[in-house]
Amino acid sequence: MNALHDPARTAMRDLHRAPEPAVLASLLPAATLDPATRAAVENRALGLLADLRAAQGSGWVNRFLQQYRLNTAEGVALLSLAEAFLRVPDATTADLLIRDKLGAPDWSGHLGDSDSALVNSATWGLVITRAVVGEEGRASVLRRLIARAGEPFVRQGVGAAMRLMGQVFVMGRTIEEALARAGDKDNRGFTASFDMLGEAARTADDGQRYFASYSAAIRAVGKDAARSNADMFGRHSISVKLSALHPRYETAHAAICVPELTEMLHQLADIAAQSGIGLTVDAEEQDRLDMSLEIIAAVASRPRANNSGDGVWNGLGMAVQAYGKRARSVITWAGDLAGTTGTQLAVRLVKGAYWDSEIKRAQEQGLSDYPLFTRKAATDVSYMACARDMLADPRLYPAFATHNALTVATILEWAKAADRSDFEFQRLHGMGEGLFERMVQDEGLRCRTYAPVGGHRDLLAYLVRRLLENGANSSFVHQLADENVSDASLLADPALRIAAVAGAPHPSIPLPAALYGNERINSTGIDLGDAQTLAAIAAHVAGYVLPVAPTPTGDVAAVLAAAHAAFAGWARTDVAARAAVLDRLADLLERDRADLIAALVIEAGKTIPDAQAEVREAVDFCRYYAVQAQAIIVPTLLPGPTGERNELRLAPRGVFAAIAPWNFPLAIFLGQVAAAVVAGNSVVAKPAPQTPVIAAMARARALEAGMPAGVFGLVIGGGDVGDALVRDVRIMGVVFTGSTATARRIARALLDDDRRPLVPLIAETGGINAMIVDSTALTEQVVADVVTSAFRSAGQRCSALRLLLVQEDVADSTLAMLKGAMDCLVMGPPGDPATDVGPVIDAAAYERLETYRQSQRARWVHALPAAQAGIVPPTIIRIDRPADLHSEWFGPILHVATWQAGKLAETVAAVNALGYGLTMGLHSRIASAAAEVAALAEVGNLYVNRSMIGAVVGSQPFGGEGLSGTGFKAGGPHYLYRFLTERTISTDTTSAGGNASLLSIEDIG
């Protein structure tokens, strides 16, 4: 199928970020029930509700949800414990985790509430646990008695409970165990689709191991199926996640990952066909959809006979997420593919499992709209429209994954009308008990259980995160467990609900552009997860011709004189007018985004994603400071005695010198200038000598936006130019980003001349930035964040990770995965979309970094092979303790040391002792650990369970302390104050005829 001429693919592209009301308007007719059908659906759904309520006592997960709902402290605490506990190898951290999660919630309110002995037993265990580990000052006789057994007793009990939860959520630890369980009496009449793992591959070895696991599972299920007389759709099957098979399943790496994944899926499909079972490709994040369709189409196009040799294998299937705006077009595409290949394609229709992360990504990237619906009812409408299309297309074998009684009843009515019996329902293992049993046993309908298979230590964590992410109180399962929700509410027609609001998005989920409400517009991004968009920007970069570099400045004094002359008039300009200039500048930066991205790639060596992020940051600085200036630069009346008026005003200081670095030659450069000029100062800006063209492009757009030429002066050159600038007595302040050593020289220069006043130095300097990892952290998440923090931008960010401190109990496993993830990095030219690590800024930086790297060769933990000229290969160097790292190495070099469990405070103290205080990271599932580090860490920015780079203007103000800067933080609410001076005006009003306000006071005596 040619994607360029495929109507369904064209429709998908149009729908991907289309306005929600428009998409829903096209779906509502198919999802709307006529009155007669609605009555039949409601009647059948009421019977299903009765079955579900009768089965509430038989399903452990249902009973759990009744007792520990996800909007309660107890429910979140228990699932959070389950997410981390089984992977913690050491007793010290396990005890801390138990205390953290179970010590605060009140479990006693759940005693005896459930009709399940299992749930009540678990509750007793939680009550006892809290008695042992709960808050100080709450000791009781029970606590004192049980405390004699000590924490090992509690730990063993919690471990047993977590393993029990693992049995509930996971079908089996091995495929053999899962097959045996799938055949027991509790699953009688149900087939299963086994999913062999949870986490995505981080390394090539992961991908190969998971491929082998899938291959073995397909053979095992096929061997079991050989004993069955059922047709293929009546047998167990396998589900596969493509992200499990390749560590770089990303749009930027599609040229490599798509062919490799196609071949791997070909091989798995061949095994499945030979085994006579089905193989379904699971749906994942929306930016992977196009790649998955290419892979599925290629695999479907290769003819395969079934294991009996009596026909075409119809076992290939795919999952479609109804919460995606493109879902209905994907159904159309699947039908066309089946028609083209002469097969019946199985389609599993699901609601979708990545809702939170998809919403967050669109907001973070500043995309035009969301790829999915923001209301649950809208997803339900999409689901029903897709289901109707599936039932109407005989080329598809429909599989409806749902626990919703109304959805099931509707599909049954539509199937009867369409005379379709070749379809099935699907449910998650451990959930939906009671909904399908009677239909399977009495009506002969097919139902399949989606059954995760794997070790509880890994899979339980994955499944619990999915449950926490998608455990919204609006879901049918959670509403069913709530006695306060009526049958009428449960069976409310989603089409009518969406029609009532005209398809409007959820009011609490603004579009990415409106993320900051009425304060300011969020900067706009381009979707680099879209292959066509990425190719277009890459082509623009490749064809862009960088403007001629400006001539080095010969006379700094002349530029300063112009700035000094322009200051008075600019200072008198109304702050709203100054802010309007910044708003226009932000618009111009977005207008010329493609050229600026190209310039950043060519002159600064940025990768395309980094270049786009920098343009957006520059835009955000302009808009944010425009808002802040208008909010704070207003007269403030102060209290005082009667007959006196006291007023505080903020005034600009004069001419500022702004000295920017080469690593953020647009964002930091313009951020400094924008803050100074919106405060009413004029500026002479000196960019780094490596990036003068970007600075000139920025200034040209500032002048186009209406900024007077004298207000924004530009000087070009090296350290001599910067020295002449800061030593001039007309400079009334300096804003600087760069090395600590240079900041010291500037500070001394500002004090050397007795003729000049004492002026502020606003400095953001380097840092030996550490990330601390304990044994509760998820290794896959840690590794992803370490790679991003240490090696993105070739390690040339002020905030980049320099020192990784891993708890010794998990150091070996963490470093093993980290090495594999590093091996997957691509080194190359920055304009290539596939490049992860490009060259460092210049030959001098390369020589300095490479000399150091080679001097530490005996301590290398891992290093990538040498690449093209100018690229420093990402390298890990082992050190014994934090104190061994004496200086910042500004490149893709990461140092690693270990720390002992129970020594968190000492570890933070060791990092503080280095004297720097820019950024720090912590990976831990222990909330009290995060609170402890927040209290102890002497850093400007602390990042918990995330990467350490990419601070967002207005959300994560950036700047350090100690050797890392002077404050206030750039992109924060206090930054502009450093560019202003305070003036108080006190007026004695009695000297001009008395205080008239006193005369108006009513005499009530």
Side-chain angles (χ1 to χ4, degrees):
M1 300 177 69
N2 189 331
L4 296 177
H5 304 288
D6 181 355
R9 294 290 290 274
T10 301
M12 288 181 217
R13 186 167 182 80
D14 293 341
L15 289 168
H16 187 33
R17 299 195 186 279
E20 199 163 336
V23 180
L24 286 167
S26 68
L27 297 175
L28 276 170
T32 300
L33 302 175
D34 60 76
T37 304
R38 174 67 189 177
V41 165
E42 285 186 351
N43 184 59
R44 184 183 282 263
L46 285 170
L48 294 175
L49 280 182
D51 290 345
L52 277 166
R53 296 195 190 283
Q56 286 292 288
S58 62
W60 197 94
V61 174
N62 289 333
R63 287 171 287 168
F64 172 84
L65 291 173
Q66 284 181 303
Q67 290 302 307
Y68 303 111
R69 302 191 68 208
L70 297 187
N71 63 340
T72 66
E74 294 88 351
V76 172
L78 192 54
L79 286 180
S80 298
L81 179 64
E83 192 273 336
F85 184 81
L86 292 180
R87 66 171 172 264
V88 178
D90 61 293
T92 300
T93 309
D95 292 341
L96 290 172
L97 181 66
I98 294 169
R99 186 183 299 274
D100 185 75
K101 301 304 179 191
L102 303 187
D106 183 8
W107 307 98
S108 59
H110 299 275
L111 279 175
D113 282 356
S114 176
D115 59 0
S116 165
L118 183 60
V119 172
N120 285 331
S121 295
T123 299
W124 269 110
L126 297 170
V127 172
I128 292 172
T129 299
R130 189 185 189 214
V132 177
V133 304
E135 301 169 0
E136 294 298 327
R138 302 189 64 150
S140 64
V141 174
L142 177 63
R143 178 176 178 178
R144 289 194 296 272
L145 285 173
I146 298 175
R148 295 179 182 177
E151 290 186 322
F153 167 78
V154 175
R155 195 184 318 126
Q156 291 172 12
V158 171
M162 295 302 102
R163 285 187 288 275
L164 180 61
M165 288 187 69
Q167 293 176 29
V168 171
F169 284 101
V170 179
M171 179 68 88
R173 289 165 294 185
T174 65
I175 188 62
E176 291 76 16
E177 187 177 298
L179 280 166
R181 191 171 178 188
D184 66 21
K185 62 180 179 63
D186 290 336
N187 294 290
R188 187 170 299 153
F190 289 80
T191 52
S193 184
F194 299 108
D195 180 9
M196 299 307 298
L197 69 147
E199 307 298 343
R202 296 293 182 197
T203 71
D205 286 346
D206 286 343
Q208 289 301 316
R209 184 170 62 254
Y210 296 150
F211 176 79
S213 177
Y214 280 129
S215 301
I218 293 171
R219 290 188 173 94
V221 173
K223 184 178 179 180
D224 179 83
R227 296 190 289 267
S228 169
N229 294 323
D231 63 15
M232 189 184 59
F233 294 120
R235 298 173 174 180
H236 299 314
S237 62
I238 292 289
S239 294
V240 58
K241 286 184 174 66
L242 295 179
S243 63
L245 299 175
H246 203 291
R248 301 310 303 269
Y249 182 32
E250 307 161 26
T251 301
H253 297 268
I256 298 297
C257 75
V258 169
E260 292 182 355
L261 281 168
T262 299
E263 181 55 34
M264 296 173 89
L265 190 61
H266 267 311
Q267 294 180 40
L268 293 177
D270 286 341
I271 301 171
Q274 294 162 13
S275 302
I277 66 169
L279 179 69
T280 298
V281 179
D282 273 330
E284 299 184 75
E285 292 85 352
Q286 292 289 302
D287 60 1
R288 289 170 163 166
L289 176 61
D290 283 332
M291 291 186 293
S292 73
L293 297 184
E294 290 183 34
I295 295 166
I296 291 167
V299 174
S301 299
R302 178 189 290 180
R304 291 176 177 84
N306 64 22
N307 64 330
S308 301
D310 58 357
V312 174
W313 178 65
N314 290 318
L316 185 64
M318 60 182 292
V320 177
Q321 296 166 318
Y323 68 14
K325 292 176 178 175
R326 297 174 287 182
R328 198 177 185 193
S329 293
V330 177
I331 300 297
T332 301
W333 178 90
D336 292 344
L337 176 63
T340 300
T341 58
T343 62
Q344 187 178 32
L345 189 69
V347 174
R348 173 194 294 147
L349 185 62
V350 302
K351 296 294 177 69
Y354 303 89
W355 189 85
D356 285 7
S357 57
E358 295 280 11
I359 293 290
K360 182 179 180 182
R361 178 183 179 273
Q363 291 177 344
E364 289 178 335
Q365 298 296 318
L367 302 180
S368 59
D369 208 319
Y370 299 109
L372 37 72
F373 301 107
T374 57
R375 292 180 187 264
K376 181 186 176 299
T379 294
D380 290 341
V381 166
S382 173
Y383 191 100
M384 297 316 302
C386 291
R388 200 165 202 167
D389 288 354
M390 291 164 64
L391 289 169
D393 192 339
R395 301 171 299 181
L396 300 179
Y397 175 79
F400 303 110
T402 179
H403 301 131
N404 188 307
L406 181 67
T407 302
V408 171
T410 304
I411 289 170
L412 289 172
E413 289 298 318
W414 282 347
K416 183 171 63 175
D419 196 24
R420 287 292 297 265
S421 59
D422 59 332
F423 69 93
E424 67 182 43
F425 289 107
Q426 294 190 1
R427 71 177 185 192
L428 289 173
H429 169 61
M431 300 182 71
E433 283 87 350
L435 182 59
F436 300 110
E437 278 78 357
R438 184 168 55 81
M439 290 185 291
V440 168
Q441 294 164 11
D442 299 342
E443 301 178 38
L445 288 173
R446 288 176 169 174
C447 185
R448 189 177 303 272
T449 300
Y450 186 82
V453 180
H456 296 162
R457 175 185 178 276
D458 299 316
L459 260 186
L460 183 59
Y462 172 81
L463 294 167
V464 166
R465 282 197 304 282
R466 292 283 78 80
L467 185 58
L468 285 169
E469 182 178 87
N470 295 284
N473 294 329
S474 59
S475 75
F476 182 86
V477 171
H478 289 81
Q479 290 187 42
L480 183 69
D482 189 344
E483 296 178 353
N484 296 318
V485 178
S486 67
D487 287 356
S489 295
L490 285 170
L491 301 181
D493 189 334
L496 295 178
R497 294 174 61 189
I498 291 302
V501 297
H506 197 292
S508 299
I509 305 175
L511 288 175
L515 183 61
Y516 302 108
N518 295 326
E519 178 186 285
R520 61 186 168 100
I521 302 172
N522 188 18
S523 57
T524 302
I526 54 178
D527 187 2
L528 299 180
D530 177 79
Q532 292 186 37
T533 301
L534 180 59
I537 192 65
H540 184 82
V541 169
Y544 185 75
V545 178
L546 197 68
V548 176
T551 304
T553 303
D555 189 356
V556 173
V559 180
L560 258 169
H564 187 71
F567 165 67
W570 184 248
R572 288 192 297 270
T573 300
D574 186 74
V575 64
R578 301 196 301 255
V581 172
L582 291 193
D583 284 332
R584 289 194 294 272
L585 174 55
D587 294 341
L588 294 174
L589 294 175
E590 291 192 327
R591 181 197 69 185
D592 299 337
R593 178 195 299 109
D595 287 353
L596 292 167
I597 288 174
L600 286 161
V601 171
I602 296 167
E603 187 177 46
K606 299 247 173 189
T607 61
I608 291 173
D610 285 346
Q612 180 194 212
E614 181 159 357
V615 175
R616 292 191 62 220
E617 186 176 3
V619 170
D620 283 333
F621 272 133
C622 290
R623 290 177 178 156
Y624 180 76
Y625 291 146
V627 170
Q628 288 293 312
Q630 294 176 86
I632 69 172
I633 304 177
V634 292
T636 302
L637 292 178
L638 303 176
T642 185
E644 182 175 285
R645 176 185 173 87
N646 297 297
E647 183 178 280
L648 179 68
R649 296 179 182 175
L650 294 172
R653 291 178 174 273
V655 182
F656 259 80
I659 302 176
W662 50 259
N663 65 331
F664 281 91
L666 180 68
I668 291 181
F669 176 79
L670 269 185
Q672 293 175 343
V673 171
V677 299
V678 79
N681 305 287
S682 56
V683 175
V684 176
K686 191 197 88 65
Q690 296 92 335
T691 54
V693 172
I694 295 166
M697 293 174 71
R699 182 173 184 267
R701 282 148 185 82
L703 300 187
E704 184 181 352
M707 194 175 294
V711 170
F712 185 175
L714 185 67
V715 294
I716 304 296
D720 56 332
V721 172
D723 187 64
L725 180 62
V726 300
R727 288 185 182 279
D728 194 292
V729 295
R730 288 170 292 184
I731 291 295
M732 292 294 104
V734 177
V735 54
F736 167 78
T737 299
S739 72
T740 305
T742 302
R744 290 187 188 278
R745 289 197 296 271
I746 293 173
R748 285 193 292 268
L750 294 177
L751 295 173
D752 279 349
D753 195 327
D754 292 338
R755 297 173 300 165
R756 76 186 315 160
L758 297 174
V759 300
L761 168 61
I762 308 164
E764 188 262 286
T765 56
I768 298 180
N769 309 310
M771 177 187 288
I772 300 171
V773 178
D774 75 13
S775 62
T776 68
L778 181 69
T779 305
E780 288 82 359
Q781 183 183 359
V782 169
V783 166
D785 289 341
V786 168
V787 169
T788 296
S789 302
F791 304 129
R792 184 170 169 181
S793 308
Q796 298 175 117
R797 292 184 184 230
C798 305
S799 57
L801 173 61
R802 311 293 180 200
L803 174 59
L804 177 63
L805 298 169
V806 187
Q807 187 179 321
E808 59 186 10
D809 304 272
V810 293
D812 290 345
S813 58
T814 301
L815 291 176
M817 186 176 290
L818 179 56
K819 293 175 190 177
M822 287 174 63
D823 289 339
C824 295
L825 292 173
V826 176
M827 297 179 286
D832 184 342
T835 293
D836 300 302
V837 181
V840 293
I841 187 64
D842 56 24
Y846 175 83
E847 185 64 28
R848 184 167 55 255
L849 290 164
E850 189 61 18
T851 298
Y852 170 72
R853 196 175 75 94
Q854 293 297 336
S855 74
Q856 301 297 309
R857 196 178 188 96
R859 287 182 168 268
W860 284 7
V861 174
H862 194 61
L864 297 190
Q868 68 184 58
I871 296 179
V872 176
T875 302
I876 303 176
I877 298 171
R878 185 180 294 278
I879 60 177
D880 296 326
R881 61 191 66 83
D884 293 342
L885 187 55
H886 304 292
S887 59
E888 176 187 33
W889 293 98
F890 211 74
I893 298 174
L894 175 65
H895 301 81
V896 63
T898 60
W899 59 285
Q900 294 180 339
K903 301 290 185 181
L904 181 59
E906 293 88 339
T907 303
V908 175
V911 175
N912 288 341
L914 298 175
Y916 292 88
L918 192 56
T919 66
M920 182 183 290
L922 172 70
H923 267 273
S924 175
R925 292 297 195 262
I926 303 175
S928 58
E932 183 176 16
V933 173
L936 296 175
E938 297 169 358
V939 295
N941 290 69
L942 174 65
Y943 298 103
V944 180
N945 293 330
R946 53 152 289 171
S947 74
M948 292 168 53
I949 64 171
V952 177
V953 173
S955 297
Q956 295 133 13
F958 188 76
E961 56 192 72
L963 297 175
S964 296
T966 62
F968 286 120
K969 293 159 103 28
H974 306 126
Y975 189 63
L976 291 186
Y977 288 107
R978 294 298 306 274
F979 295 86
L980 295 158
T981 189
E982 293 183 317
R983 294 172 179 168
T984 301
I985 302 171
S986 296
T987 303
D988 182 359
T989 59
T990 61
S991 63
N995 185 355
S997 63
L998 288 177
L999 303 179
S1000 65
I1001 297 176
E1002 181 181 357
D1003 183 1
I1004 60 173

